[in-house]
């Protein structure tokens, strides 16, 4: 009954905003489409995009989709467009990451003899895996379908914590279902268990070691057709009937002769089988697949309605797919009763049953989280509280948390700028004193890579830590937000300490080459040094950068662009150096990481430390150059096919850059609420804000040629600044850009019209 009530509410909400959608969009056939209709989840599923393909709801715990055999880096999400063999359909996935994990609890339907082998050959009658063709595949928000070459038609949909499968088997051959607790996505199963409760219910768990050190996943599954035989295996060796506990368990369920139509529901939990059962009872008590699918689509339409754009169908497909990708992670993490497994392995209960995981913070602090403060402000306090809970469990704020583990992947303590940004923008709903204490404790913890050296030397020496200079630059960006938060709270001693650290980037400035230059513990420059090389560590040295080179990291100062300009000596010198970044050619060196992609000169749009760089021109009074660069990057690196991303999507960051850039403004400093102007992509875009307010960006003369901002109005009044504040956006109103095919080099040129860092 509760599930039906939720579906009814979601449907009513869709009708309410559907009328707004039809009036807001251009007239004609496209006006009949919903937001979800424009989404193409296959964008970014090829190349190095690594996006999740499958069925979920916004920020859903359950992410149900196809599972390929893990073959390496491009299969980090469990699926890659180049593949043609599926080993089943698993219940959780990563989206856009550069590391592999999850792919838990794989179900694979087939007919014929009992078999458990899953291989790339996919020989019918020998292997349980099956080949497939993209022509028989469909992916839409909240829904995925695939006609397997083995003859089974598969449909998937999901609620928050429950995945629903619909299989239509061919009439010939016995219908079977492989339940695989052995395989995952590059993970190792430590312990697993499966048990048949009755002829329509089976339960179990899987303890897994992978990228995250350990996670436990429990499940409760039901089928709508009786199982006549339930045989268990260790890997591919038969063990017996009905139940088995071992390190690598599989089972095959066989349905009654003549069964062709089967539905399966799988609920998961990080706590217990009993909690998984409660999740299913609360969210999906019935068997109406069409109703569950409709509810999922309704949730996606409701979420995507936060921004309404006017543009071509192609522009809408790229934009709404990007917006869709920003709502896949972070994921809600906890059961309907609020319980979840913490980073320390203990069971906790979340406040208001709201807790999150899958924070790709080194990526997402740059654009995704500032974007959430505008389009998903109701979620911001919950995400901050989730980070503070991880601090309580682990002694430091999250770095890259995944389920019940901390991966410590990537440099920086990047939860710090996210929390600071929320506080400085006036968000409440979390304890600011507790948050600041956690931020200071993390920034001074020996657990954090390079912090002891940072505190000893005032910088991180190249002979002390691999990737030292990158780590230092990230900490400096983080410390700026910490300092500003402390200042606002009246804690000037903390402000002074961390503002000094935030400016430590200056210690790496080598005026002779106009680049950052790794520095040794004795104060000398690291040599030999080439700012082109992205592989120093492969040569046996320590003074390298994280997924980048010295050219890129010279500009990794989002917290203080005006200070970086001052190091150059003048606006013109800075602009000349920045111009060079986009045109200079040089070899990254053998063994350079594949993350350094989407190259324009030495600028790498495929990797996140570069994302703010095109906007730095604004701080030097050359907004027109930012407009030029940003529009070029949007057109070049965001397309409408499977190769639509030039690098890892990284849990929404690559997409968030496009969303914000398409709107025409971008927060460079991750913790000060100042959004600098770029080049709006649409003639009109309307953002839904709290309390029924809207903020509309108009650019009526926008076109492929008219990329430059000639002038700006805010609420009908002339506006001569090259930026806008968060406060002004959230008041609601209309921002009007007059666009031109010729740059207005005077716009934003005067020093008092430019953004500043503090």
């Amino acid at each position: 009954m509760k599930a039906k009530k939720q579906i009814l509410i979601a449907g009513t909400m869709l009708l309410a905003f559907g009328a707004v959608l039809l009036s807001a969009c251009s007239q004609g056939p496209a006006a009949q489409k919903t937001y979800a209709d424009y989404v193409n989840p296959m964008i970014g599923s090829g190349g190095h995009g690594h996006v999740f393909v499958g069925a979920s709801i916004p920020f859903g715990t359950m992410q149900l989709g196809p599972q390929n055999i893990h073959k390496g880096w491009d299969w980090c999400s469990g699926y890659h467009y180049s593949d043609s063999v599926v080993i089943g359909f698993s219940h959780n996935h990563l989206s856009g990451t550069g590391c592999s994990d999850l792919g838990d609890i794989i179900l694979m339907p087939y007919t014929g003899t009992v078999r458990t082998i899953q291989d790339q050959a996919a020989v019918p009658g020998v292997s349980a895996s099956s080949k497939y063709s993209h022509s028989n595949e469909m992916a839409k928000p909240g829904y995925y379908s695939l006609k397997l070459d083995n003859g089974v038609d598969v449909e998937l949909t999901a609620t928050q914590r429950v995945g629903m499968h619909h299989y239509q088997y061919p009439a010939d051959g016995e219908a079977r279902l492989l339940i695989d607790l052995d395989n995952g996505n590059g993970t190792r199963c430590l312990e697993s268990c499966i048990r048949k409760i009755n002829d329509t219910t089976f339960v179990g768990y899987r303890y897994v070691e992978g990228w995250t050190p350990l996670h436990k996943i429990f499940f409760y599954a039901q089928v709508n057709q009786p199982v006549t035989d339930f045989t268990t295996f260790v890997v591919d060796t038969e063990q017996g009937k009905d139940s088995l506990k071992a390190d690598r368990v599989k089972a095959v369920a066989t349905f009654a002769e003549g069964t062709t139509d089967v539905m399966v529901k799988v609920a998961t939990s990080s706590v217990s089988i009993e909690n998984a059962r409660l999740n299913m009872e609360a969210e999906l008590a019935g068997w109406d697949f069409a109703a569950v699918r409709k509810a999922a689509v309704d949730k996606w339409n409701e979420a995507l309605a936060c921004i309404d754009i006017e543009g071509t169908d192609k522009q809408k497909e790229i934009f709404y797919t990007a917006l869709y990708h920003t709502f896949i992670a972070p994921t809600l993490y906890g059961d309907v009763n609020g319980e979840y497994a913490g980073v320390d392995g203990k069971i906790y209960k979340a406040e208001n049953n709201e807790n999150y995981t899958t924070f790709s913070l080194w990526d997402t602090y740059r654009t995704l989280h500032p974007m959430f403060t505008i389009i998903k402000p109701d979620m911001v306090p919950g995400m901050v509280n989730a980070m503070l809970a991880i601090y309580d469990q682990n002694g430091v704020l999250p770095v890259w948390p995944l389920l019940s583990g901390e991966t410590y992947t990537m440099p920086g303590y990047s939860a710090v700028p996210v929390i600071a940004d929320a506080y400085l923008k006036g968000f409440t709903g979390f304890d600011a004193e507790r948050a600041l204490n956690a931020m200071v404790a993390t920034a001074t913890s020996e657990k954090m890579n390079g912090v002891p050296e940072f505190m000893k030397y005032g910088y991180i020496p190249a002979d002390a830590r691999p990737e030292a200079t990158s780590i230092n630059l990230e900490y400096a960006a983080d410390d700026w937000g910490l300092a500003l938060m402390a200042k606002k709270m009246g804690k000037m001693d903390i402000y002074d300490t961390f503002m000094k650290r935030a400016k430590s980037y200056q210690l790496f400035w080598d005026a002779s080459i106009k680049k950052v230059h790794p520095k040794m513990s004795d104060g000398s420059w690291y040599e030999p040094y080439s700012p082109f090389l992205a592989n120093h560590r492969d040569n046996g040295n320590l003074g390298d950068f994280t997924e980048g080179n010295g050219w890129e990291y010279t500009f990794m100062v989002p917290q203080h662009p005006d200070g970086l300009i001052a190091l150059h000596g003048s606006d013109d010198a800075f602009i000349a150096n920045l111009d060079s970044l986009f045109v200079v050619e040089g070899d990254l060196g053998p063994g350079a990481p594949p993350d350094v992609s989407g190259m324009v000169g030495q600028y790498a749009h495929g990797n996140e430390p570069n994302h703010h760089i095109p906007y730095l021109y604004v701080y030097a009074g050359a907004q027109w150059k930012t407009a030029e660069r940003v529009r070029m990057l949007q057109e070049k690196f965001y397309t409408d096919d499977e190769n639509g991303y030039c690098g890892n999507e990284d849990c929404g960051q690559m997409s968030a850059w496009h969303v914000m850039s398409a709107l025409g403004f971008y927060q460079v400093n991750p913790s000060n609420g100042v959004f600098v102007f770029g080049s709006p992509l649409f003639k009109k875009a309307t953002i839904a804000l709290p309390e029924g307010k809207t903020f509309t960006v108009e650019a009526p003369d926008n076109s492929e040629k008219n990329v430059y901002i000639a002038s700006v109005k805010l609420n009908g009044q002339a506006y001569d600044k090259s930026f806008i504040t968060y406060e002004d956006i959230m008041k609601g109103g209309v921002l009007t850009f007059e666009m031109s095919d010729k740059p207005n080099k005077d716009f934003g040129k005067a020093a008092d019209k430019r953004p500043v860092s503090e």
Side-chain angles (χ1 to χ4, degrees):
M1 183 64 70
K2 184 174 181 181
K4 291 181 179 178
K5 183 178 179 181
Q6 290 173 333
I7 293 166
L8 179 61
I9 293 172
T12 303
M13 294 178 71
L14 177 60
L15 290 173
F17 73 77
V20 176
L21 169 63
L22 293 178
S23 63
C25 292
S26 59
Q27 297 302 308
Q32 303 306 312
K33 290 185 177 180
T34 68
Y35 298 106
D37 289 328
Y38 287 107
V39 175
N40 176 6
M42 288 298 181
I43 291 177
S45 64
H48 298 325
H50 299 184
V51 302
F52 162 64
V53 173
S56 68
I57 64 171
F59 309 105
T61 303
M62 177 61 60
Q63 295 178 344
L64 174 59
Q67 188 73 38
N68 302 140
I69 295 172
H70 180 69
K71 302 180 186 67
W73 190 61
D74 278 331
W75 279 259
C76 284
S77 74
Y79 174 97
H80 194 264
Y81 195 84
S82 65
D83 214 322
S84 59
V85 172
V86 67
I87 63 172
F89 303 90
S90 58
H91 292 75
N92 52 20
H93 294 78
L94 291 165
S95 185
T97 61
C99 295
S100 300
D101 208 312
L102 307 184
D104 291 314
I105 311 167
I106 300 172
L107 302 188
M108 181 62 186
Y110 63 88
T111 60
T113 59
V114 172
R115 54 197 187 274
T116 60
I117 295 172
Q118 293 149 298
D119 57 18
Q120 193 65 22
V123 176
V126 176
S127 173
S129 52
S130 175
K131 295 183 178 180
Y132 65 94
S133 169
H134 293 303
S135 62
N136 293 323
E137 184 177 37
M138 177 186 292
K140 302 296 285 184
Y143 177 77
Y144 175 86
S145 69
L146 179 63
K147 181 176 179 61
L148 297 167
D149 284 7
N150 70 13
V152 181
D153 285 327
V154 176
E155 290 184 291
L156 309 175
T157 191
T159 67
Q160 178 62 252
R161 301 170 181 86
V162 187
M164 193 172 194
H165 308 237
H166 180 207
Y167 305 139
Q168 290 183 298
Y169 292 87
D172 55 330
E174 289 185 281
R176 305 190 194 274
L177 180 63
L178 171 66
I179 305 105
D180 178 10
L181 306 183
D182 175 21
N183 290 293
N185 197 43
T187 62
R188 184 168 73 93
C189 184
L190 303 175
E191 181 181 318
S192 51
C193 175
I194 196 163
R195 178 163 55 95
K196 189 182 83 166
I197 302 298
N198 54 48
D199 62 2
T200 57
T201 307
F202 51 91
V203 301
Y205 61 79
R206 185 174 189 253
Y207 299 170
V208 187
E209 179 182 66
W211 175 31
T212 194
L214 173 68
H215 77 266
K216 299 179 179 181
I217 184 165
F218 301 86
F219 71 93
Y220 183 88
Q222 290 185 321
V223 293
N224 71 334
Q225 299 290 348
V227 171
T228 58
D229 183 81
F230 197 85
T231 304
T232 63
F233 299 78
V234 170
V235 190
D236 301 315
T237 302
E238 185 174 338
Q239 300 296 308
K241 303 292 184 181
D242 295 347
S243 67
L244 179 65
K245 177 181 176 181
D247 58 347
R248 302 172 64 185
V249 168
K250 297 181 184 180
V252 175
T254 300
F255 299 99
E257 185 176 353
T259 300
T260 58
D261 195 297
V262 175
M263 283 191 281
V264 187
K265 300 183 296 185
V266 180
T268 61
S269 166
S270 66
V271 175
S272 66
I273 292 172
E274 174 61 16
N275 272 22
R277 183 185 67 80
L278 293 175
N279 291 340
M280 183 179 291
E281 289 183 351
E283 293 187 3
L284 188 48
W287 293 98
D288 191 337
F289 184 93
V292 177
R293 176 186 176 183
K294 181 182 182 304
V297 174
D298 289 352
K299 288 181 183 296
W300 277 111
N301 273 314
E302 181 185 355
L304 296 168
C306 64
I307 304 176
D308 183 82
I309 66 168
E310 292 184 8
T312 66
D313 279 359
K314 180 178 179 179
Q315 286 177 323
K316 290 181 178 181
E317 181 179 2
I318 294 170
F319 180 85
Y320 282 111
T321 300
L323 190 59
Y324 164 84
H325 282 138
T326 68
F327 297 158
I328 291 177
T331 55
L332 277 164
Y333 179 55
D335 299 324
V336 291
N337 60 9
E339 292 181 344
Y340 67 95
V343 174
D344 57 0
K346 299 177 182 178
I347 304 303
Y348 293 88
K349 184 176 176 63
E351 297 179 20
N352 303 317
N353 288 6
E354 184 182 28
N355 185 52
Y356 296 91
T357 187
T358 323
F359 286 110
S360 183
L361 287 164
W362 181 77
D363 307 290
T364 57
Y365 86 87
R366 306 170 197 273
T367 315
L368 182 72
H369 284 283
M371 185 184 80
F372 281 159
T373 65
I374 297 174
I375 66 171
K376 295 294 177 188
D378 57 312
M379 291 178 55
V380 172
M383 288 189 285
V384 172
N385 282 322
M387 295 175 193
L388 296 178
I390 291 173
Y391 170 79
D392 292 340
Q393 298 159 21
N394 198 37
V396 291
L397 287 166
V399 178
W400 212 124
L402 178 59
L403 303 183
S404 58
E406 172 58 78
T407 70
Y408 291 106
T409 301
M410 309 312 295
Y413 28 75
S414 302
V416 166
V418 174
I419 297 171
D421 190 47
Y423 175 79
L424 293 167
K425 287 174 175 173
F427 281 88
T428 58
F430 60 89
D431 186 331
E433 194 78 29
R434 174 189 174 206
L436 184 65
N437 290 338
M439 293 157 74
V440 172
T442 301
T444 56
S445 172
E446 292 189 0
K447 275 188 172 184
M448 303 308 297
N449 189 14
V451 163
E453 290 84 0
F454 197 10
M455 296 175 69
K456 178 180 178 180
Y457 295 99
Y459 65 96
I460 305 177
D463 50 345
R465 300 274 178 164
E467 305 179 359
T469 310
S470 293
I471 298 168
N472 198 139
L473 292 172
E474 288 291 344
Y475 287 163
D478 302 338
D479 287 342
W480 190 278
L482 196 165
L484 293 187
M485 181 170 170
K487 182 179 181 180
K488 187 173 181 179
M489 295 174 69
K491 300 179 184 295
M492 296 307 295
D493 55 336
I494 297 177
Y495 168 80
D496 291 338
T497 296
F498 285 94
M499 184 54 68
K500 181 180 179 181
R501 287 172 42 149
K503 295 181 179 179
S504 61
Y505 71 90
Q506 297 169 347
L507 300 175
F508 297 103
W509 176 251
D510 184 345
S512 67
I513 60 173
K514 293 185 172 58
K515 303 289 178 295
V516 296
H517 195 154
K519 182 170 286 191
M520 306 294 278
S521 55
D522 64 3
S524 64
W525 294 123
Y526 167 90
E527 297 294 354
Y529 172 61
S530 167
F532 288 99
L533 294 182
N535 67 334
H536 295 167
R537 187 170 48 177
D538 291 342
N539 291 338
N541 301 315
L542 292 177
D544 64 342
F545 299 93
T546 303
E547 298 178 2
N549 64 15
W551 267 100
E552 299 162 42
Y553 275 95
T554 290
F555 301 97
M556 222 318 281
V557 190
Q559 78 279 14
H560 197 205
D562 23 5
L564 182 60
I565 293 168
L567 288 177
H568 282 75
S570 69
D571 292 338
D572 288 343
F574 175 78
I575 291 169
N577 201 20
L578 188 51
D579 280 343
S580 296
L581 173 73
F582 289 95
V583 296
V584 68
E585 297 295 332
D587 189 356
L588 297 175
D595 307 78
V596 187
S597 59
M599 303 296 289
V600 180
Q602 292 302 294
Y603 173 84
H605 192 73
N607 214 26
E608 281 70 18
N610 294 259
H611 279 182
H612 68 285
I613 294 176
Y615 288 93
L616 293 179
Y617 288 107
V618 178
Y619 290 81
Q623 193 284 328
W624 66 274
K625 282 183 171 283
T626 283
E628 199 172 72
R629 299 287 188 205
V630 168
R631 184 65 74 91
M632 176 272 293
L633 293 169
Q634 290 179 65
E635 298 292 347
K636 182 178 179 67
F637 292 128
Y638 293 89
T639 63
D640 59 350
D641 60 19
E642 66 274 9
N643 297 312
Y645 291 133
C646 62
N648 298 166
E649 209 278 328
D650 282 313
C651 294
Q653 170 60 26
M654 195 70 65
S655 294
W657 188 94
H658 177 65
V659 171
M660 293 307 300
S661 295
L663 293 175
F665 47 85
Y666 186 93
Q667 184 172 310
V668 173
N669 183 325
S671 303
N672 79 342
V674 173
F675 292 80
V676 302
F677 293 152
S679 178
L681 196 57
F682 310 118
K683 293 181 182 295
K684 186 177 181 181
T686 301
I687 306 169
L689 301 175
E691 301 175 355
K693 299 176 183 177
T694 60
F695 186 76
T696 300
V697 180
E698 295 180 340
D701 297 323
N702 211 339
S703 68
E704 290 184 6
K705 292 183 178 180
N706 290 353
V707 304
Y708 300 104
I709 297 173
S711 63
V712 182
K713 290 182 179 179
L714 180 61
N715 299 324
Q717 301 298 312
Y719 187 87
D720 55 5
K721 298 181 178 67
S722 57
F723 65 92
I724 188 170
T725 65
Y726 176 77
E727 182 181 14
D728 280 341
I729 293 171
M730 300 308 286
K731 288 177 182 176
V734 179
L735 182 67
T736 304
F737 291 104
E738 180 187 350
M739 306 300 291
S740 173
D741 62 349
K742 296 179 179 62
N744 177 1
K745 296 183 180 181
D746 290 328
F747 176 68
K749 184 176 182 179
D752 63 344
K753 309 306 179 186
R754 308 177 192 177
V756 293
S757 298
E758 184 175 0

